[in-house]
Amino acid sequence: MQEAMINKAKQLLADGTVNRVMGWKRGEFVYDITPAVFETAEEIDADFVCDDFTAANVSKYLVKESRKEGKILAFLKPCDTYSFNQLVKEHRIVRENVYVVGIPGGPKLDAEKIKAKGITGILCVKNENGTLKIDTLYGEETMPYYEAILGKCETCKSRKHVVYDELIGEEGEVITAEDSGRFDMVEKLENMTAQERYDFWREQLSKCIRCNACRNVCPACTCENCVFDNPASGISNKAAADSFEENMFHIIRAFHVAGRCTDCGECSRVCPQNIPLHLLNRKFIKDINAFYGEYQAGEDTTSRAPLNNYDKDDCEPSIVHERGVE
Amino acid sequence: MSDKLKEQILRSSGSNVLKCMRCGKCSATCPSYDEMEYHPHQFVYMVEKGDIEKLMSSDSLYKCLTCFACVDRCPRGVEPAKVVEAVRLAAVRRQGNNHLVPTDIPGMLDDDLPQQAIVTAFRKYTK
Amino acid sequence: MQVNENTNFEPVIVAFCCNWCSYAGADLSGTNRLNYPTNVKIIRVPCSCRVNPMFILRAFQRGADGVILCGCHPGDCHYTSGNYFTRRRITLLYSMLDFLGIERDRTRLEWVSAAEGAKFAATMQEFTDAVRKLGPNRRLEDLRCRKQ
Amino acid sequence: MQRIGVFVCHCGTNIAATVDVKAVAEALGHEPGVVISREYQYMCSESGQNLVKDAIREHNLTGVVICSCSPRMHENTFRKAAAAAGLNPYLVEIANIREQCSWIHKDIASATEKAVILGKAAVAKVHLNAPLIAGESPVVKRALVIGGGIAGIQTALDIAEAGFDVDIVEKQPTIGGKMAQIDKTFPTLDCAACILTPKMVEASQNEKIHIYSFSEVTDVKGFVGNFTVTIKRKARYVDETKCTGCGLCTEKCPMKKVPNEFNMGLDNRTAIYIPFAQAVPKVATIDPNYCMMMKTGKCGVCSKVCSVGAIDYKQEDKFIEEKYGAIVVATGFNPINLDKYDEFAYNQCADVVTSLELERLMNAAGPNGGTLLRPSDKTHPHTIVFVQCVGSRCDDEKGKPYCSKICCMYTAKHAMLIREKYPDTEVYVFYIDVRTPGKNFDEFYRRAVEQYNVHYIKGMVGKVTPKSDGKIDVQASDLIANEQLHINADMVVLAAAIEPDKTARPLATMLTTQMDTNDFFTEAHPKLRPVESATAGIFLSGACQGPKDIPETVAQGSAAAAKAIGLLCKNSITCNPCVAHSNELMCNGCSACEKVCPYGAITYQDKEFRMPDRTTAIRRVASVNPAVCQGCGACTVACPSGAMDLNGFSNSQIMAEVDAICK
Amino acid sequence: MLRIPVAKSDELFAAIASQQTLYLPADRKDGQAEYRKWEEGVKLSSRLNTVRSAKDFFFPQTENLAEFRMEGKKIEVIDIRKESEDFVIFGVRACDARSFTILDKVYLVDPVDTFYQTRREHGTVVTMACTRPAETCFCQTFGIDPTEPEGDVSCWSDGSYYYFRANTDKGQKFLDSLSSLLEDGDTAALEETKAKTKEILSKLPLAKVSTENFGGDKLNEYFRSEKWGELSESCLGCGTCTFVCPTCQCYDIRDFDTGHGIQRFRCWDSCMYSDFTKMAHGNPRLTQLERFRQRFMHKLVYFPANNNGEFGCVGCGRCLSKCPISMNIVKVMKALEEK
């Protein structure tokens, strides 16, 4: 796969279709891969990588990159194409300036999950028939492959590219909510008592260090000036000085991306404290699907976002009181 | 006393007599009208005034068939039959457990009524 | 649900009312001298769709124990569609607050027309009672703002 | 530094009886920025306003808070006062301590405490108020009148008289409305047609008036001074421009068994019809539900007999779009449906009729040519019972809670006319109250009793039973005699309650005006602005606002016209400056605001900006057209970056109020 | 050397906790470790490091400085400082222990930060020598020996025993207070463990990372380097690296209106943020490139320039594993060194 991508990139650079390539650059270890823009074939040969750890969603970089001179080649995984499309819809990405090559998606691996097993000194990771063989400073370790799969890939919503100029590999299918199980955890929480839910979220959100990684990686958060950075907004803050602000930040952030969040899962991937932030977004997605009909942000560039739309027969907020557990 | 009684009647009837606009449709519709000394609209009005004793001692109480025609027809939702019923209940309650006193019995005796029925009634309706 | 034992607890209730229907409805309950608790303080907004979720959270932060939002009945919005957007936004917001374990009875959305003075008063009474029963807002309060 | 003045109104005892106004003024005087805090008996009075004006000048105030009645009442009064004293009117805030405080609370201590908090919230808000300057938008010099009854006709004539173009949209094939169906009018007993039809003709001949008959309003966009209205011209299958109204087609039409709406279904008309002789426009209309040609494709008689070739079976509904500066609603009323009042046997007996049906029965152009005959057997009725308040003054579940207002008078009229024409007829009127507040009204009613010997009986009919002999047993109570009566009647006439026309509710939604729970349009102020709706540029004429008799309807129609003329006279109107605005530096150009704007007030532009990193970039940013924006604020919440804010109700102002209240 | 069997660690912790508050790294459900207040049942984590560093104890993320109250036209300033309690942080790794020295150079020099100073005075640092360094470790680069950690008390484990050595008077007092639990014992097994660790240390992938090309004299060479553009290109501008960093010491001071007064507090700030050091005139570092450069120049050039060659990094490796896009100081150093 990596080989095919490198060849494609070099070809498009050579024939002048694009003048830059958005991809991933290898790092010091097997897993510390950085999104990068390549300008020459030499750079690509030297550092371009696409493997089990190239999980980062590069579509947000295209907001800036698509406004530069010339066309850029972007390799997008299925999930990334949803983010890309949503950004096109919101006029954030200049579509004409991006040459999209769809590439197969995950599942990608999560180094944190390997480390959480107590495996340290990781030098090399290989998947052999469902078993991960890990070379470490302390000898070889093994663990089941599926236990190292990145959280967002465990509940993959689609293997289909919603936008591309060209495709490498075969096109996949959209995965139903039942098959992906992506709302299972939300449902589990919904079925808890209010006190249990409160306790769950207090435990999670109290870990928040307000590093803003979730916001800054989020492809839906592309505001010129975020309300949390804008003292005039009345809600700006730099550190969650108390539990209210922890809640406030995450509620408002989830609300601002509600109906726009494609469920790419980057927020949870990058959270240094492993807070399952995607659950907040998924809660909104689940509610929107249930109340206003199935809606997948980023699926197209024309439909009206559910929060910018209405139906005269929409349910009343009292529905919240009527269902689930208090 | 009558205030308390009025309150009790209003509570047990669940009716708001103040809603009455004195149209008389209840009485217009009442099948027992001619049997009554006090008519449905009067029940409502007299309860409102607190003039309840007259109603309590009137036979009209027992003429109401509880057919609910007045309840159905009343444009204001006053529900006169429920007011009548409430007055009736108040009267029954006042009697206490002794619904039949021995002195009443001779008057009831006649050829058609079996003596056993009277004895049974006396046992049943007396404390 | 915890029931507040401190009967002296007087909840702070913020009511956002749209100028055209609910605020007029509130005025009407005043004109008709329909009593409702003093706990309720009304903030006038042009339309219920002006109410940002931020304002609702802000109220809880600053010491509100309950927040109620009132607007024109669906279909009667002075601005045609404002309350339809409100309905979606607020449904999702309340659902999210519920998801985070915040007591459901602290938030409410009610449609009150300019003619429904009695409904306004009754709704405020009911809502205040419900919030009073819940006791002070603890799950979504900012301790820094707690009255000393 | 802000210099804020606080003015607390006693409103006589309205506020002062439950709120310690002195304490409120004292407490607010300590708020930051407040330099003067006063209380006064009546702030809205001239001397009260002078107090405010003097303080503005003397203390060079930068903001004013009035603690008084609802801002819906006097906000404008105080804004004007401030402007007169040189302060921008939008630097005035009202704390509503009457409707939302003194009138609803009884305990002085807690009401005072609340009043102080409301005052503090207003002070906190006024700290952040910015002076606003209202823009102007042009006025389209054309009015629309919806409904062509006497109310609509009167309004249209008056507007046209003032020199403005006016269109009437009438859903029926002819204008005229209910008045055209009425025989005589009270209390003068002159013929309704004689006074109405000249007005109809006048309307049709006035070159400033354009009548869209058989048409309906389907969409309304825009705002005061600049409404865009879509009118559906329903297909009448007759070319209006060609039809001369000769009536030959209606004579020749073979389909003669169509219930005649104009005569309340008491007789029949043809499938192609002209509702009545004096119809305006006098144009035939084909009823496609009955027309043989339309249903089976076989007939075409009308087409053959029409000498001008006006018949067009293929005609379709047409939609036209017009611009108007003002809209007058005159949708009128209808008698209620009597299905649920079984006791009156309306559906079981043809001789139980409504009062409007009686009008037709007695009308010379009616089914019986003016002779009063029983609908069942066309015999002369000797005993007629009138029942008042059928469905009026009821509990919510039983009918309409209001008094229909006109029934007492028209029943007296009917009773009198019958006794006049048929002295051998006994007329009984069962009433709850006889309500005759109007000029010459009670005299009229007394004439019915004293001069015409109509039997007025205080009491209500409980049961109407049609009998096998064709008679009707009317069981009723006579409350004065304290007895139950049975009257052996020939006819029963029910004074059915009236209700707003069914088209009013969807129309109100289109117009974004309010209605009360009975679907009557709500006026902007029950006493002071009775012909205006709360929505600027929308006026109310006739019974759509509440039950009315003809003189009142005409008076209100003229009043609505006067209001509309007042608007149309202006070349432009001052816009509401409390509109949204976009901070272009923060705008992402994502289009969310545009999607929720009901007025299409938001557009996008690519603009060049100097970015924080010293580069320049072309960015797509939103801009709001202040003349089109109505200030709902939907966009401000849709905007994730907070670039959209609303003048007069800014994020910071509302949050300041929240803070002050929760403190 | 004084030692206690690992099996008796609960007794040890209980004894410490009976005298002062004890914090130690404990495992979280998600497989990461965090400092937690010890109470019955809390176990010492075997992880190499906590997500948040130990600097929180001396320089917390948010901290109230003062309160103001306004009454009419008067403003009252309220000193909200309270008497601090003594506390012990147990199990601090060598890298974090060194970070305190770096923070001291910022906060204990004139003008002394009294909030920081008070905490330092009341805290006793008990370090724990590393035995299983990770691939992300490069503390050796900064002259730290993880088998010989600093702190008031150094602690080692050979799997069976914890060994203690006091380095300061405070540390000595701490050990004295535990004398009834501690016994003297030989350190042969410990030396063996240390030797094994040293062997691993030499094999670490980042063992060769060196500071020789960095220091106060490199300002002109690196400030204008063309590499910054490429390096910062993917930076998201989040604050993860700075907030998990044990040596980042920047903060912002803000006022919070509580409705009944003003709370003046400080909170961590990040040079990665667009409003970092924003002043009345605007922001001195307008692009992410400048902000990104600031962070690494500070650690590798400016800090040693002002502190006798000491670098502002301790090689703990947190930023290497936590950066959302895996850009970090090692990559920056290597890139800058490339000619």
Side-chain angles (χ1 to χ4, degrees), chain C residues 19 23-24 27 30 33-36 38 40 44 46 49-50 55 58-59 62 75-76 78-80 89 147, chain D residues 70-72 75 96 99-100 103-105 114 505 509 512 599 632 634 636-637 645 649 651 659 662-663:
Chain C
N19 181 48
Y23 195 88
D27 278 355
R33 310 297 196 274
L34 301 171
N35 186 52
Y36 57 85
T38 50
V40 178
R44 185 165 69 125
C49 71
R50 176 66 189 91
F55 303 161
R58 175 82 164 207
R62 298 290 159 151
D76 292 349
H78 179 79
Y79 305 100
T80 324
R89 291 167 184 165
K147 280 174 205 110
Chain D
S70 172
R72 294 169 55 86
E75 189 173 54
N96 184 345
E99 282 85 346
Q100 294 177 7
W103 275 356
I104 44 169
H105 305 311
K114 177 170 170 178
R505 172 59 68 176
T509 303
T512 71
Y599 305 101
C632 67
T636 62
V637 184
D645 210 345
F649 293 95
N651 287 337
D659 290 2
C662 297
K663 222 179 231 181

Side-chain angles (χ1 to χ4, degrees), chain B residues 53-69:
Chain B
E53 287 306 325
K54 280 185 208 152
L55 297 175
M56 298 271 280
S57 54
S58 161
D59 260 2
S60 306
L61 270 188
Y62 308 102
K63 303 294 180 191
C64 169
L65 303 169
T66 325
C67 71
F68 274 45

Side-chain angles (χ1 to χ4, degrees), chain D residues 77-378:
Chain D
T77 313
F78 293 113
R79 278 182 175 170
K80 276 183 192 157
L87 182 71
N88 183 288
Y90 295 92
L91 298 174
V92 176
E93 284 296 327
I94 311 283
N96 184 345
I97 61 166
R98 191 179 78 176
E99 282 85 346
Q100 294 177 7
C101 190
S102 71
W103 275 356
I104 44 169
H105 305 311
K106 295 199 178 86
D107 177 52
I108 294 181
S110 56
T112 305
E113 192 190 328
K114 177 170 170 178
V116 170
I117 291 173
L118 294 176
K120 283 182 176 174
V123 171
K125 187 180 182 194
V126 90
H127 263 284
L128 299 162
N129 278 23
L132 301 175
I133 293 162
E136 294 199 327
S137 84
V139 176
V140 177
K141 307 238 167 215
R142 188 181 191 92
L144 171 68
V145 175
I146 305 172
I150 181 60
I153 292 169
Q154 184 65 39
T155 304
L157 285 171
D158 286 356
I159 294 173
E161 184 77 5
F164 297 103
D165 287 313
V166 52
D167 293 350
I168 298 175
V169 171
E170 168 58 54
K171 68 178 189 298
Q172 300 295 340
T174 172
I175 59 169
K178 292 285 169 302
M179 188 172 170
Q181 290 175 281
I182 293 171
D183 184 33
K184 297 275 193 314
T185 58
F186 59 79
T188 48
L189 292 181
D190 43 359
C191 149
C194 311
I195 54 178
L196 173 67
T197 49
K199 277 201 177 278
M200 290 163 63
V201 172
E202 203 185 327
S204 73
Q205 288 175 350
N206 191 317
E207 59 187 21
K208 290 277 179 195
I209 299 179
H210 186 86
I211 298 169
Y212 292 110
S213 63
F214 213 51
S215 300
E216 280 165 30
V217 170
T218 55
D219 189 35
V220 180
K221 284 200 184 78
F223 51 94
V224 54
N226 199 357
F227 295 104
T228 305
V229 179
T230 309
I231 299 164
K232 177 163 97 172
R233 308 222 56 199
K234 295 183 281 187
R236 70 199 312 166
Y237 308 106
V238 173
D239 188 335
E240 245 180 81
T241 56
K242 291 183 186 158
C243 176
T244 59
C246 69
L248 194 60
C249 54
T250 66
E251 278 167 37
K252 300 291 181 198
C253 178
M255 182 62 215
K256 297 191 191 299
K257 286 259 158 73
V258 186
N260 184 355
E261 304 86 351
F262 185 72
N263 280 339
M264 305 303 290
L266 294 165
D267 66 355
N268 293 324
R269 61 164 167 83
T270 46
I272 185 164
Y273 67 107
I274 295 170
F276 57 97
Q278 300 94 335
V280 169
K282 196 164 183 196
V283 174
T285 305
I286 295 179
D287 188 336
N289 297 322
Y290 293 95
C291 173
M292 307 289 282
M293 187 64 186
M294 310 269 302
K295 284 172 75 181
T296 64
K298 288 181 199 130
C299 181
V301 170
C302 51
S303 179
K304 279 173 210 138
V305 300
C306 182
S307 55
V308 293
I311 309 292
D312 176 6
Y313 300 114
K314 296 231 158 46
Q315 204 178 60
E316 280 179 356
D317 292 351
K318 268 193 301 197
F319 291 87
I320 55 170
E321 210 177 80
E322 270 296 349
K323 282 195 172 290
Y324 299 101
I327 297 177
V328 182
V329 183
T331 45
F333 72 95
N334 276 308
I336 60 166
N337 183 307
L338 294 178
D339 288 354
K340 69 174 173 182
Y341 303 97
D342 284 346
E343 64 268 33
F344 299 120
Y346 176 73
N347 287 332
Q348 294 144 41
C349 176
D351 298 327
V352 179
V353 298
T354 65
S355 301
L356 193 56
E357 286 164 4
L358 184 73
E359 294 281 355
R360 296 315 301 155
L361 287 173
M362 289 167 63
N363 190 283
N368 303 327
T371 315
L372 178 60
L373 298 173
R374 285 173 19 127
S376 60
D377 54 9
K378 306 280 176 200

